[in-house]
Amino acid sequence: MLEVKNVKVSYGQVVALDMACDITVSDHDIVGIVGGNGAGKSTLIKALTNQVAYSGVINKPNRIAVHLQENNYPDTVNCRSILEGLLKTNYKKDQTLIALVKFFDFEKNLTQKFSQLSGGQKQRLTIIMVLYQDAPLTCFDELSTGLDFETRSHLMQKIKTWYANKPAIVLLITHYFDEIEQLANKLLIIDQGRVVDYDLITALFQKYIGHSAIMITGEQVDVVLPSACRLIRGDSGQTVIACKSNESQQRLVGILNAQGYQFSVTRLSVALIYLNAINNMTMKKGVN
């Protein structure tokens, strides 16, 4: 279990993180951490790993593995030598490492130098070393930055399969909301160093959206909304309507079909949760 209680991190006079609440993460939880640049996401990981001084209380597992955004390895040696040197092991005698290399389809890359690897292959090399530690808490910081969609999706599926039955905690910092939808069961939203919300993704969707959301192409939509439907924040270029129930959703779908609108329906969208949580927070600040 991981407990973070009223943790605050300051750099001189600048407050980088001020979590004026208690956060509890249980074994088997995968938590997506989202927020804009400078929100405090990486600062939280640094506090968890004692890289920065903090006030408050952190109760954490005795071992933490961390995947950093950038990793630089020697270009003059092959990947097998990198693995053996950094992990202090012998590949041929290490069944755990052999299993990980096979799981990530990395056998053919062992003889290559780091500079010869593609972006996805470089990420797999680092992930192998992170997962080799078999830590009860693992932090992934921008795991798939710079990778194409197909490579990202394949990598996420591998991570999901690996952790499927492991009693471990995973913290996933990413700008890709689809990765969180694919992997995580909980969401931590941070803005300007403060916690906006934290809960199960399903609970947060219910809280900020409702039963479902209907996303319509275009920002100008002339539709009379049924009862229990309301406009909410969405990405630019679309109109998003939240439906409180399945009945209200069906009524709105009928109206949109009759008027020829193009639309899609979702019951799980981290992007919508994030946009509307931030919007709610901004509105509350404006009222106060």
Side-chain angles (χ1 to χ4, degrees):
M1 180 178 289
L2 170 66
E3 294 178 315
V4 181
K5 301 180 179 181
N6 295 302
V7 167
K8 184 175 182 179
V9 177
S10 299
Y11 301 118
Q13 299 299 314
V14 178
V15 178
L17 186 66
D18 189 2
M19 302 176 68
C21 62
D22 294 352
I23 298 294
T24 300
V25 186
S26 302
D27 295 345
H28 294 285
D29 278 342
I30 299 180
V31 181
I33 304 176
V34 297
N37 293 329
K41 305 183 298 296
S42 295
T43 300
L44 173 59
I45 302 302
K46 290 178 180 178
L48 292 175
T49 53
N50 296 320
Q51 297 181 61
V52 295
Y54 63 87
S55 60
V57 176
I58 298 178
N59 296 320
K60 59 188 178 182
N62 56 2
R63 290 186 299 113
I64 302 176
V66 180
H67 172 280
L68 301 176
Q69 292 187 38
E70 296 184 6
N71 296 277
N72 296 312
Y73 304 113
D75 289 332
T76 56
V77 297
N78 61 38
C79 292
R80 174 176 167 175
S81 297
I82 293 173
L83 288 170
E84 291 180 330
L86 293 180
L87 298 178
K88 296 180 173 59
T89 188
N90 182 300
Y91 177 74
K92 287 187 176 181
K93 298 180 180 179
D94 194 327
Q95 294 303 313
T96 299
L97 183 55
I98 290 173
L100 271 167
V101 167
K102 288 182 177 179
F103 182 79
F104 282 97
D105 306 315
F106 201 75
E107 300 101 316
K108 62 182 178 296
N109 305 117
L110 290 175
T111 58
Q112 292 181 295
K113 295 179 181 179
F114 183 71
S115 60
Q116 297 175 310
L117 302 180
S118 67
Q121 290 164 350
K122 289 177 179 178
Q123 286 287 26
R124 288 203 292 273
L125 174 64
T126 298
I127 291 169
I128 287 169
M129 288 190 280
V130 171
L131 298 185
Y132 179 84
Q133 301 173 56
D134 197 26
L137 169 58
T138 302
C139 307
F140 291 105
D141 194 353
E142 300 296 350
L143 174 63
S144 59
T145 297
L147 303 183
D148 61 78
F149 178 78
E150 184 176 353
T151 303
R152 285 199 300 112
S153 297
H154 180 70
L155 195 57
M156 291 306 107
Q157 187 56 50
K158 284 288 189 181
I159 296 292
K160 183 176 182 179
T161 301
W162 181 261
Y163 281 105
N165 298 306
K166 288 185 176 294
I169 295 170
V170 176
L171 303 183
L172 177 67
I173 295 177
T174 180
H175 285 92
Y176 296 113
F177 293 144
D178 61 305
E179 291 182 0
I180 296 175
E181 292 172 1
Q182 188 173 352
L183 284 178
N185 65 315
K186 290 184 177 179
L187 183 66
L188 173 61
I189 305 171
I190 302 178
D191 183 69
Q192 298 179 359
R194 298 181 181 275
V195 174
V196 177
D197 216 332
Y198 170 69
D199 207 336
L200 292 167
I201 295 175
T202 52
L204 291 176
F205 188 89
Q206 178 68 33
K207 178 178 179 178
Y208 291 104
I209 290 89
H211 171 77
S212 61
I214 295 181
M215 297 172 288
I216 308 169
T217 303
E219 295 180 341
Q220 301 295 324
V221 176
D222 185 17
V223 173
V224 177
L225 297 182
S227 59
C229 293
R230 60 188 174 89
L231 288 170
I232 61 172
R233 286 289 304 274
D235 288 330
S236 60
Q238 65 177 196
T239 298
V240 182
I241 301 172
C243 302
K244 190 175 181 180
S245 65
N246 184 60
E247 291 73 21
S248 59
Q249 172 193 308
Q250 293 306 315
R251 287 198 296 271
L252 181 56
V253 165
I255 294 171
L256 295 175
N257 280 328
Q259 297 187 20
Y261 282 105
Q262 293 183 335
F263 63 91
S264 60
V265 180
T266 182
R267 295 198 63 191
L268 176 65
S269 171
V270 170
L272 290 180
I273 293 171
Y274 175 74
L275 289 171
N276 287 280
I278 295 295
N279 186 59
N280 282 16
M281 180 192 67
T282 303
M283 292 177 63
K284 287 180 180 178
K285 286 183 178 179
V287 171
N288 295 333

